[in-house]
């Protein structure tokens, strides 16, 4: 208990750090993921190849390596002196986008064939079919896998702590450097993460209930 | 180009439009790549000297040692996680309430914590001088929990008649588990199990944080200790090491896909679960609780293969 009480400000900052990096990366991952999924089902071959290459690369690269790329290579391409928080969110968002993309793609596959055919038969274009008919229905079946993807994202955000972003893992490191016993520190950090992950799964369960439609 | 569900076979107008999109899209992508390359070249990251360092025997030796270290940790973690997975799933399906309860708690707890936190705690708390064992232990605990859930889904997917028939023959619960359920569960879930092993392989890179000299740690050491023209060769080192990782993961994924295809052809009547790389636990039954793979989704995802012909690679 002492560990938490004596270092509560740092713990609070760490917790807020974890929540904010998770939130920012989630938005990046969602936007990119849906976009790339659109690429992968589009009638334009180069975009399809790009989407496939993107997913293959991002999925088979360890996240830690991606963090290295973002912290040592990207600033060289853009401009030096970007904040660790921004770089970390980008790395997490890019990495997770490939998983979001695949979830959305399998969601599109669950929409009955007739729906897309009907949309086309009344003369909708590819973009309209996707926006008005397919994606809204795909959303429902995408929610459960998305929930586990975002929980994975929360857990992966710990890696950002090793790259000097203030979050819970950073707090764990700080405490063990200050010589506290690791067991209570571990328990507090675990509780912090569990709060975030349970909130996410709760939110998604709510969403699922809200979106339930008789089929 | 064949038509998919989402769009008709394109007419003349659409062909033109798609071509325009294709050209614009390709140009945009090419421009992005070109800008990156030009920017890196400007800073001297693509100079031949930067890449020449990989011709030094010392550096080659370093990378070979690191590769071996990564594979060692991966081998230990793979064996550890599979053994633990079997133990946990047996515990989870046990007839004794306390055993069941303990296994379930263990699985739920360690599955919903960041792997890094676990590894770090084990390293600081118990195995400070043995970073390889700390890494292997952390990986085994986390991935063991995931593998246990995969096996449970596999056991639940074996038709009920199988175990009923085995009990009718007078087999004990252990015999039923060992000789009837497990073989079929493992066989049907093999692609998913290997998919999780790919995740395990990727996660060995977390050894970087506890200073275990695996590939990534070595990459950082090489990049920060060699100076070329007054610069550190981060870009070339990352490209080389990244290629190694991607090659290893793709090999494992290819193995999973191959086994899956083979399984579909087999006449055993055991359905093989879809095992695209990092495919999750198939939705034959919802897996409760927050769950997701260490470095990616292992969740109840539907099989993303072209059920409606929407997906095309």
């Amino acid at each position: 208990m002492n560990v938490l009480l004596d270092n509560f400000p740092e713990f609070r900052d760490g917790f807020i750090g974890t929540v904010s990096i998770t939130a920012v990366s989630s938005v990046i991952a969602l936007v990119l993921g849906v976009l790339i999924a659109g690429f992968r089902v589009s009638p334009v071959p180069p975009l399809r190849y790009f989407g496939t290459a993107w997913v293959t690369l991002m999925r088979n690269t360890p996240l830690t390596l991606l963090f290295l790329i973002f912290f040592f290579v990207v600033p060289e391409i853009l401009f030096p002196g970007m904040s660790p928080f921004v770089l970390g969110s980008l790395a997490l968002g890019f990495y997770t986008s490939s998983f979001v993309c695949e979830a959305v793609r399998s969601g599109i596959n669950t929409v009955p064939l007739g729906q897309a055919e009907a949309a086309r038969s009344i003369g909708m274009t590819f973009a309209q079919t996707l926006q008005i008919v397919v994606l809204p229905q795909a959303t429902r079946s995408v929610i459960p896998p998305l929930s586990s993807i975002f929980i994975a994202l929360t857990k992966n955000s710990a890696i950002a702590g090793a790259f000097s972003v203030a979050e819970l893992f950073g707090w764990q490191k700080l405490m063990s450097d200050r010589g506290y016993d690791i067991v209570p520190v571990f328990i507090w950090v675990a509780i912090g993460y569990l709060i975030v992950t349970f909130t996410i799964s709760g939110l998604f369960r709510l969403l699922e209930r809200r979106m339930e439609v008789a089929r | 180009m064949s038509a998919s569900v989402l769009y008709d076979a394109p007419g003349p107008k659409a062909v033109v439009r798609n071509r325009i999109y294709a050209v614009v899209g390709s140009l945009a992508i090419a421009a992005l790549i070109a800008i990156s390359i030009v920017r890196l070249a400007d800073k001297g990251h693509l100079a031949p000297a930067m890449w020449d360092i990989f011709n030094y025997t010392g550096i080659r030796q370093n990378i070979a040692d690191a590769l071996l270290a990564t594979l060692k940790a991966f081998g230990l973690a793979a064996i550890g996680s599979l053994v633990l997975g079997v133990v946990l799933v047996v515990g989870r399906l046990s007839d004794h309430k306390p055993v069941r309860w303990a296994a379930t708690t263990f699985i739920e707890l360690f599955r919903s914590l960041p792997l890094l936190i676990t590894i770090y705690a084990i390293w600081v708390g118990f195995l400070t001088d043995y970073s390889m064992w700390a890494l292997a232990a952390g990986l085994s605990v986390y991935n063991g929990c995931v593998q246990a859930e995969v096996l449970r889904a596999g056991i639940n997917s074996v038709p009920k008649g199988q175990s009923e028939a085995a009990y009718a023959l007078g087999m004990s619960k252990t015999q039923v588990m060992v000789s009837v359920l497990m073989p079929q569960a493992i066989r049907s879930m093999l692609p998913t199990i290997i998919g999780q092993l790919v995740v395990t392989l990727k996660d060995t890179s977390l050894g970087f944080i506890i200073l275990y000299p695996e590939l990534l740690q070595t990459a950082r050491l090489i990049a920060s200790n060699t100076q070329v023209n007054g610069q550190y060769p981060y870009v070339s080192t990352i490209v080389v090491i990244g290629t190694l990782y991607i090659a290893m993961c793709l090999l494992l994924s290819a193995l999973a896909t191959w086994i899956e295809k083979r399984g579909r052809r087999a006449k055993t009547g055991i359905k093989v679960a879809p095992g695209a790389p990092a495919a999750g636990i198939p939705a034959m039954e919802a897996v409760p609780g927050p769950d997701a793979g260490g470095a990616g989704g292992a969740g109840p995802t539907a099989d993303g293969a072209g059920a409606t012909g929407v997906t095309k690679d």
Side-chain angles (χ1 to χ4, degrees):
Chain A
M1 201 68 210
N2 278 344
V3 133
L4 187 68
L5 293 178
D6 296 347
N7 303 285
F8 191 73
E10 287 99 332
F11 182 84
R12 191 194 51 214
D13 292 347
F15 185 77
I16 292 171
T18 290
V19 172
S20 40
I21 196 167
T22 303
V24 174
S25 329
S26 301
V27 173
I28 296 173
L30 253 185
V31 172
L32 265 179
V34 173
L35 186 73
I36 304 266
F39 280 4
R40 287 200 70 173
V41 296
S42 76
V44 185
L47 293 183
R48 276 211 304 270
Y49 303 144
F50 174 73
T52 312
W54 176 277
V55 171
T56 310
L57 276 178
M58 290 288 165
R59 256 191 175 180
N60 289 298
T61 312
L63 182 53
T64 330
L65 180 73
L66 211 59
F67 266 95
L68 272 184
I69 293 173
F70 271 86
F71 277 74
F72 291 107
V73 180
V74 171
E76 294 284 307
I77 294 174
L78 298 170
F79 43 87
M82 296 168 80
S83 85
F85 182 83
V86 172
L87 290 171
S89 312
L90 281 174
L92 265 177
F94 273 45
Y95 179 78
T96 314
S97 72
S98 66
F99 294 97
V100 174
C101 163
E102 291 307 275
V104 171
R105 229 166 47 115
S106 24
I108 290 175
N109 278 327
T110 62
V111 177
L113 203 72
Q115 296 282 333
E117 282 174 343
R120 274 173 32 208
S121 70
I122 55 173
M124 287 190 182
T125 61
F126 168 72
Q128 283 175 317
T129 308
L130 211 52
Q131 273 170 25
I132 303 168
V133 179
V134 175
L135 279 184
Q137 299 189 66
T139 313
R140 275 198 289 279
S141 46
V142 166
I143 282 179
L146 268 192
S147 158
S148 44
I149 288 171
F150 285 135
I151 287 167
L153 169 68
T154 311
K155 294 190 295 182
N156 287 333
S157 73
I159 297 175
F163 287 85
S164 65
V165 177
E167 51 75 75
L168 283 172
F169 174 67
W171 185 78
Q172 185 185 6
K173 263 171 65 175
L174 184 73
M175 290 305 106
S176 68
D177 287 347
R178 288 189 185 171
Y180 286 99
D181 186 22
I182 191 73
V183 176
V185 172
F186 174 79
I187 290 170
W188 286 119
V189 171
I191 289 173
Y193 275 106
L194 288 177
I195 292 172
V196 181
T197 48
F198 274 107
T199 311
I200 291 177
S201 56
L203 279 178
F204 271 95
R205 231 169 271 139
L206 266 180
L207 258 180
E208 224 177 323
R209 266 211 292 279
R210 286 283 309 276
M211 306 203 51
E212 249 176 341
V213 173
R215 288 231 180 154
Chain B
M1 100 153 255
S2 59
S4 99
V5 200
L6 294 171
Y7 42 87
D8 274 311
K13 261 191 192 166
V15 167
V16 172
R17 203 174 50 225
N18 286 348
R19 287 225 173 105
I20 291 171
Y21 284 148
V23 170
V24 172
S26 317
L27 281 180
I29 295 163
L32 273 179
I33 295 171
I35 288 172
S36 310
I37 289 178
V38 166
R39 291 280 301 181
L40 289 176
D42 276 352
K43 305 218 166 157
H45 284 295
L46 304 180
M50 283 286 186
W51 300 87
D52 199 42
I53 57 170
F54 297 104
N55 289 330
Y56 301 152
T57 41
I59 291 205
R60 286 192 175 190
Q61 191 55 47
N62 282 348
I63 292 179
D65 290 346
L67 193 61
L68 200 65
T70 286
L71 289 176
K72 245 196 248 168
F74 170 64
L76 286 172
I79 294 167
S81 65
L82 289 174
V83 170
L84 189 67
V86 170
V87 170
L88 283 173
V89 79
V90 168
R92 218 183 154 150
L93 298 171
S94 152
D95 291 336
H96 308 288
K97 213 173 191 156
V99 177
R100 211 167 45 223
W101 190 84
T104 310
T105 314
F106 187 90
I107 291 175
E108 291 303 335
L109 174 68
F110 282 101
R111 224 175 34 153
S112 39
L113 291 181
L115 178 52
L116 181 55
I117 302 282
T118 312
I119 291 177
Y120 193 82
I122 291 176
W123 181 57
V124 171
F126 310 100
L127 295 164
T128 317
D129 304 330
Y130 307 98
S131 56
M132 181 178 80
W133 292 102
L135 177 66
L139 284 170
S140 301
V141 167
Y142 178 84
N143 290 291
C145 295
V146 180
Q147 300 284 24
E149 287 301 284
V150 171
L151 284 173
R152 195 167 65 100
I155 287 173
N156 287 336
S157 73
V158 176
K160 212 166 164 0
Q162 296 272 344
S163 54
E164 282 170 356
Y167 282 122
L169 289 175
M171 287 187 182
S172 66
K173 184 164 194 283
T174 314
Q175 282 174 311
V176 174
M177 203 50 144
V178 171
S179 55
V180 178
L181 292 178
M182 272 290 178
Q184 299 193 60
I186 290 173
R187 181 166 182 139
S188 73
M189 282 293 166
L190 206 50
T192 319
I193 291 173
I194 295 178
Q196 188 57 34
L197 285 180
V198 175
V199 174
T200 312
L201 175 62
K202 283 198 315 189
D203 285 350
T204 54
S205 63
L206 292 173
F208 165 87
I209 289 148
I210 61 168
L211 310 178
Y212 174 59
E214 44 74 65
L215 265 179
L216 211 55
Q217 172 71 0
T218 308
R220 208 184 51 155
L221 289 176
I222 290 175
S224 55
N225 290 330
T226 358
Q227 268 211 342
V228 184
N229 313 336
Q231 273 194 316
Y232 296 107
Y234 272 109
V235 177
S236 52
T237 313
I238 284 175
V239 168
V240 170
I241 300 287
T243 313
L244 277 176
Y245 267 117
I246 290 173
M248 285 194 293
C249 294
L250 283 181
L251 274 177
L252 261 181
S253 305
L255 178 69
T257 318
W258 179 73
I259 286 181
E260 190 192 335
K261 285 213 172 81
R262 226 178 110 248
R264 288 198 198 288
R265 282 206 313 270
K267 294 188 176 63
T268 48
I270 298 171
K271 269 184 66 178
V272 172
I281 299 153
M284 38 191 84
E285 55 116 45
V287 180
D291 94 323
T301 41
D303 181 2
T308 58
V310 170
T311 48
K312 298 201 323 199
D313 291 318

